[in-house]
Amino acid sequence: MTKPNTKPITVWLTRKPSWLSASWAVVLILEELQVPYVIESFRFNDVKNRPCTDICPNGGVPGMYHHLEEVYDTEKKVTYEPLNERQLLNQYLHFQMSGQGPYYGQAGWFNVLYHGRIPSTIERYNGQVRRFLDVLSTYLSFMSWNCRLDMLLQTPPGEDPLAKYPDLIDDQGLMPNDMPKGINNIKEYEEQIAREAAEKEEQ
């Protein structure tokens, strides 16, 4: 467990659709490890300029998952000690970074953000998203899911994007901005987190 006097970590969130942001994964890890943190935000375009590029030359917002695990996860809550399990985690990490992330990102760009419609490109990336779903449906069907596939693939209203994958559990409860339903902004979300933390301490 984290020491009570641990200095809060600053989590920077870009002002872009947060379903594109890796920072929320960092928040989840910090919550699980009970590491104190504060949330700050900055404009999305700022990540392409200094001083942000001094930290991440690629002009992105890095999620320091391994650092958090190595420094704060002394009880192995979000990772493993045995070699086989650790390598399996690395396998899925690279699966996400080298395939799932890029294809989902391109599908989101051409389906949602790009000013025109290029059918062949959309077909290509949507097809790859579905191929990755086949992989996930096979190997990760035991996990609960919280997806934004309806937004990513521009699924028609009322159509379930996971209908073809019955082994995947769509564990919703979030809005497209990744905040819980009923939460309107970061301030309300922080207040909810504080209330939940206080309730845990009272138990």
Side-chain angles (χ1 to χ4, degrees):
M1 181 176 294
T2 306
K3 296 180 180 179
N5 61 349
T6 300
K7 182 180 179 180
I9 292 176
T10 300
V11 179
W12 290 92
L13 296 174
T14 58
R15 295 181 182 273
K16 66 174 181 175
S18 58
W19 53 274
L20 296 174
S21 176
S23 301
W24 287 111
V26 172
V27 170
L28 290 175
I29 293 175
L30 294 174
E31 282 285 320
E32 186 67 25
L33 300 181
Q34 299 180 22
V35 177
Y37 64 91
V38 294
I39 293 177
E40 300 287 350
S41 63
F42 57 95
R43 294 179 304 172
F44 179 44
N45 290 340
D46 288 344
V47 301
K48 306 299 181 184
N49 303 310
R50 300 184 69 179
C52 293
T53 53
D54 292 336
I55 300 172
C56 183
N58 188 40
V61 182
M64 302 175 65
Y65 313 124
H66 285 311
H67 174 79
L68 295 176
E69 293 167 1
E70 292 181 9
V71 175
Y72 298 101
D73 191 15
T74 57
E75 299 176 2
K76 303 303 178 186
K77 290 184 176 180
V78 298
T79 186
Y80 294 96
E81 185 66 40
L83 177 63
N84 288 346
E85 283 81 356
R86 283 191 286 117
Q87 294 307 314
L88 184 61
L89 286 179
N90 284 331
Q91 175 183 336
Y92 280 112
L93 174 63
H94 287 281
F95 169 80
Q96 182 184 35
M97 291 190 306
S98 64
Q100 184 182 10
Y103 281 121
Y104 277 42
Q106 293 300 318
W109 172 260
F110 285 105
N111 276 306
V112 182
L113 301 175
Y114 189 62
H115 59 81
R117 299 285 294 178
I118 307 177
S120 61
T121 302
I122 291 173
E123 180 181 0
R124 161 68 173 168
Y125 289 119
N126 284 2
Q128 288 301 308
V129 168
R130 294 187 176 94
R131 182 176 71 82
F132 276 93
L133 284 172
D134 285 333
V135 175
L136 296 174
S137 179
T138 301
Y139 292 102
L140 298 179
S141 60
F142 62 91
M143 297 181 64
S144 295
W145 277 63
N146 193 311
C147 71
R148 295 264 61 90
L149 289 175
D150 51 348
M151 176 181 289
L152 178 69
L153 299 176
Q154 295 292 281
T155 306
E159 181 178 320
D160 182 3
L162 292 177
K164 297 180 180 179
Y165 311 96
D167 291 332
L168 297 181
I169 304 172
D170 187 13
D171 186 18
Q172 291 293 341
L174 299 185
M175 299 183 294
N177 62 3
D178 282 351
M179 293 186 192
K181 292 179 179 178
I183 299 296
N184 298 310
N185 52 55
I186 288 290
K187 185 175 184 296
E188 290 184 7
Y189 191 36
E190 289 179 327
E191 291 173 349
Q192 175 175 309
I193 292 173
R195 286 195 302 270
E196 292 176 352
E199 291 173 358
K200 288 181 180 179
E201 292 181 357
E202 293 175 357
Q203 294 177 354

